[in-house]
Amino acid sequence: MARDTESDIGYAVGLDLGDGESSLCWLPTHGRSKARVYTRGTDGAAIVTALGRERLERGGYRYVIGEAAVMAQNVLHFSVNFKSRPDPQDLAVPEAVQFAQILLTEFLSRHPEVRGDCVVYVGHPTGWDDVSVATYARHFSSMSVPVRLVAESQSALVHVRDRRGGRREERRLDRVLVVDIGSSTTDFTFVEDLIPRNLRVGSDLGCAVIDRELARMVREAFAGDEKFTGALGQDESGAEMLLLACRRAKEAQFTGTDVRLQDLQVGCDPRFTPFLGPSLGWLRGVDIPGRVVHGPGGWAEGFADVLTEVRGLLGKTEPELVVITGGGSRMPVARRLCLDAFPEATVESDTDPSQSVTRGLASVGRHRVNVARFRHDIHGLKDRPEFEEKIRAGLLDAFDQARNTLLTRLLERADDDNADAQDEQDIDALIRRLTGMDQVLARLRVRLNAELTPMALEICRTYDIRDDQFMLDLVLPGVIGTAIGARIRPMWRTLRGAQSVLKTIGSMGGVGLYALKFAMKSAKRVAHLGTLGAIAGGALALPKATEMAARKLIRTTLENAQLDPAEVSSVVTHVAEQITEQMDRRAQEVERFVSDKRPSPEAGL
């Protein structure tokens, strides 16, 4: 059974279910290997999105997909261009999902190592509303493997981000517009401050409008040819074949190759020959870019209108970079219109636009798994003995530094304006100053950054989480200063009383014993000295002995001051939580690109 725990998934499969062509790739979630593209016979990487019923010799039929659904001689019916917004009232499984089921079953049978250890990521048009996406998700819930849905242009964005990730100066994608020009839709995702926003426009504008217009023109051109119209109208498959022919004629003019047109003409079922041959000959003579794409009411005009709508949605925010992907991005007019709409932006075309969404979908899967594993390891970091020991050792050293600084200050007999502080707030502030707490904590912060950052970066690099210019930002004074101050406060009257004796003796000079008696009687805090008071009282004629007793009391009191083990453990936990929180923000930068809050189906075998 396929596991549904994100961090346990071994493979991510990306399925770009296109209106005319589809593609599938997969990659292991461990490591950084590139995605492998699934090929099937003559289909290659681009699989014709066609579904047909093949008649079997022994009776009955079976469903076939791809080129076989188009070229096989005994296919009773086939459909292409069937990707459309699902009807929430229709409970029947759409042909698109049937196609996906057959393709995935075939793929998993050829790669059993992936089956039972994968999640499939399927793209959906970015412009679809939540109800349509939820309906699409419900249909996919019948799959035998877990399925997640991701917006197609967002998937392309992830692919672009990965592709540019090797160029250090371009690792952050700020104010980027991704335009995915597909057959059924044109999708837009805008990124600002690392947060992608899927724009719900373009869902009715795909390159298939060019195919449909060409098909209309072909029908019009041969309207008086009875043999032509008879062959074309004998069943629904004729209309589908004509659309496929128009699509390939369009691609041939934009890519400069006529090979796939020839394959289609040679390999088609004889029943299509009476209309397919004349159609292909006529299509070769049509200036498709000039007459259909750029013509009045053509695709280019519709694309320009959608770009204007996108500009309105973005308001005053201008993209710095526009990336165009998808098969339609090969049309030069797409780049020109993007430049016209966003003159201040750099416009970049993907090097392999037809595979951008597919590779991005698989990459989304790997990133999601790695984010889950990253979080698991970061939360486990605080439980590693060496991690805890570095914080504990640093804290104890900081306490020793504060204690030694306080000892030096008290033994120096320094005057202090706040010597008579009585309430706890004043005492805490005085202790903080006399211990040099700010300097102690600053040194501790530097030390913990130096010792803990490499441990955190090791985890970052394992999962390809951004670590450039990374520095932990530990906030220490609140918890550590309080812990250290809490240990010293109960001893404070004793320490200050002993220091008062030192200051009094130090200032006696020739005043004599009367001055010492007067100072001890008038200073309230001396009444609380206990043993030291008795020593001082019995040694009024020996100020030297009194001073030694006071110094010894200060040293002994501070030497006996220790941090409570529970306080140390509390500080360790506090610092670890801060690091976990800050590291989690690194994961969120990746998660923003790969998350999709829309419903996603999950089903087991």
Side-chain angles (χ1 to χ4, degrees), residues 145-294:
V145 291
V147 175
R148 313 271 201 277
L149 300 184
V150 182
E152 288 169 350
S153 56
Q154 185 172 349
S155 304
L157 168 65
V158 172
H159 169 65
V160 171
R161 180 180 183 272
D162 289 345
R163 181 169 56 81
R164 294 166 64 89
R167 290 175 273 178
R168 192 173 185 84
E169 71 281 3
E170 296 179 318
R171 295 192 74 174
R172 289 175 64 91
L173 293 178
D174 296 325
R175 301 209 314 275
V176 178
L177 178 66
V178 175
V179 184
D180 179 38
I181 307 173
S183 181
S184 61
T185 62
T186 300
D187 294 344
F188 298 85
T189 292
F190 181 66
V191 180
E192 184 177 17
D193 296 331
L194 298 176
I195 302 175
R197 176 160 58 107
N198 296 323
L199 308 180
R200 293 185 179 179
V201 295
S203 59
D204 297 321
L205 178 69
C207 294
V209 301
I210 304 173
D211 307 339
R212 290 193 291 270
E213 176 60 17
L214 286 171
R216 186 198 64 77
M217 293 168 64
V218 169
R219 289 175 181 273
E220 185 178 89
F222 292 93
D225 188 331
E226 292 184 5
K227 187 177 180 181
F228 181 100
T229 56
L232 180 60
Q234 59 183 310
D235 60 41
E236 294 180 7
S237 298
E240 299 286 353
M241 179 61 85
L242 179 59
L243 276 174
L244 182 58
C246 291
R247 175 187 176 91
R248 292 198 172 176
K250 174 192 67 181
E251 293 173 346
Q253 291 200 18
F254 282 110
T255 60
T257 175
D258 202 37
V259 174
R260 301 192 74 193
L261 276 174
Q262 295 171 3
D263 292 344
L264 185 64
Q265 190 167 7
V266 172
C268 72
D269 190 295
R271 73 183 190 274
F272 301 134
T273 304
F275 74 84
L276 191 59
S279 297
L280 293 177
W282 187 87
L283 287 165
R284 286 188 176 97
V286 177
D287 178 10
I288 296 176
R291 185 174 171 183
V292 182
V293 177
H294 296 275

Side-chain angles (χ1 to χ4, degrees), residues 499-568:
Q499 191 200 28
S500 297
V501 173
L502 295 182
K503 288 195 291 184
T504 301
I505 293 175
S507 61
M508 283 174 59
V511 175
L513 299 179
Y514 177 78
L516 178 59
K517 292 178 182 179
F518 180 80
M520 293 182 65
K521 182 178 180 181
S522 61
K524 294 181 180 180
R525 52 188 170 276
V526 176
H528 299 280
L529 286 179
T531 303
L532 180 60
I535 295 174
L540 289 178
L542 299 172
K544 184 71 173 177
T546 304
E547 179 179 358
M548 291 178 61
R551 288 181 177 275
K552 181 176 181 182
L553 182 59
I554 291 172
R555 291 182 183 278
T556 302
T557 301
L558 286 175
E559 287 172 358
N560 290 334
Q562 301 291 335
L563 286 176
D564 187 277
E567 291 174 327
V568 177

Side-chain angles (χ1 to χ4, degrees), residues 285-559:
V286 177
D287 178 10
I288 296 176
R291 185 174 171 183
V292 182
V293 177
H294 296 275
W299 180 88
E301 184 177 306
F303 185 56
D305 290 343
V306 174
L307 288 174
T308 299
E309 191 175 355
V310 170
R311 279 195 63 93
L313 290 173
L314 297 182
K316 296 181 180 180
T317 306
E318 285 277 348
E320 298 173 319
L321 173 68
V322 176
V323 179
I324 51 177
T325 68
S329 66
R330 295 190 182 97
M331 295 187 291
V333 67
R335 177 182 177 84
R336 179 176 63 77
L337 290 175
C338 286
L339 285 169
D340 291 344
F342 305 102
E344 302 299 321
T346 299
V347 178
E348 177 182 294
S349 300
D350 193 18
T351 54
D352 188 9
S354 62
Q355 295 292 315
S356 299
V357 171
T358 315
R359 294 180 183 276
L361 287 166
S363 186
V364 164
R366 176 153 66 187
H367 282 306
R368 286 187 180 180
V369 170
N370 281 336
V371 165
R373 291 174 181 160
F374 174 78
R375 283 204 168 100
H376 177 271
D377 286 358
I378 285 298
H379 283 278
L381 181 63
K382 64 179 180 294
D383 298 324
R384 288 166 56 174
E386 64 271 27
F387 181 85
E388 180 179 340
E389 182 54 36
K390 288 184 184 299
I391 300 176
R392 188 181 301 275
L395 176 61
L396 294 177
D397 286 350
F399 180 72
D400 286 342
Q401 292 172 28
R403 186 170 53 183
N404 292 337
T405 300
L406 178 60
L407 175 63
T408 300
R409 294 293 301 275
L410 292 178
L411 295 182
E412 284 177 349
R413 310 171 180 176
D415 291 330
D416 197 295
D417 294 336
N418 293 325
D420 294 322
Q422 294 299 313
D423 62 73
E424 289 193 358
Q425 184 175 355
D426 289 343
I427 292 174
D428 287 341
L430 184 57
I431 291 175
R432 184 182 186 89
R433 187 149 50 86
L434 291 179
T435 55
M437 189 69 69
D438 290 341
Q439 294 79 10
V440 169
L441 293 175
R443 288 192 293 268
L444 176 59
R445 182 175 181 273
V446 171
R447 171 176 173 171
L448 291 182
N449 264 311
E451 293 183 346
L452 300 181
T453 296
M455 300 173 69
L457 291 186
E458 180 184 358
I459 298 176
C460 278
R461 290 163 185 157
T462 299
Y463 295 108
D464 201 22
I465 303 295
R466 185 176 66 86
D467 64 3
D468 54 305
Q469 300 179 340
F470 179 78
M471 194 71 173
L472 290 174
D473 184 17
L474 302 179
V475 182
L476 303 178
V479 60
I480 296 180
T482 300
I484 293 175
R487 291 295 93 195
I488 295 173
R489 191 188 306 113
M491 312 165 184
W492 187 243
R493 293 189 182 279
T494 299
L495 292 170
R496 291 296 280 174
Q499 191 200 28
S500 297
V501 173
L502 295 182
K503 288 195 291 184
T504 301
I505 293 175
S507 61
M508 283 174 59
V511 175
L513 299 179
Y514 177 78
L516 178 59
K517 292 178 182 179
F518 180 80
M520 293 182 65
K521 182 178 180 181
S522 61
K524 294 181 180 180
R525 52 188 170 276
V526 176
H528 299 280
L529 286 179
T531 303
L532 180 60
I535 295 174
L540 289 178
L542 299 172
K544 184 71 173 177
T546 304
E547 179 179 358
M548 291 178 61
R551 288 181 177 275
K552 181 176 181 182
L553 182 59
I554 291 172
R555 291 182 183 278
T556 302
T557 301
L558 286 175
E559 287 172 358

Side-chain angles (χ1 to χ4, degrees), residues 126-152:
T126 304
W128 280 4
D129 58 75
D130 290 340
V131 174
S132 298
V133 176
T135 303
Y136 203 44
R138 187 181 72 240
H139 289 311
F140 275 104
S141 65
S142 61
M143 299 290 291
S144 62
V145 291
V147 175
R148 313 271 201 277
L149 300 184
V150 182
E152 288 169 350

Side-chain angles (χ1 to χ4, degrees), residues 39-54:
T39 58
R40 55 189 315 274
T42 59
D43 282 4
I47 303 166
V48 178
T49 309
L51 177 70
R53 291 188 302 166
E54 181 182 18

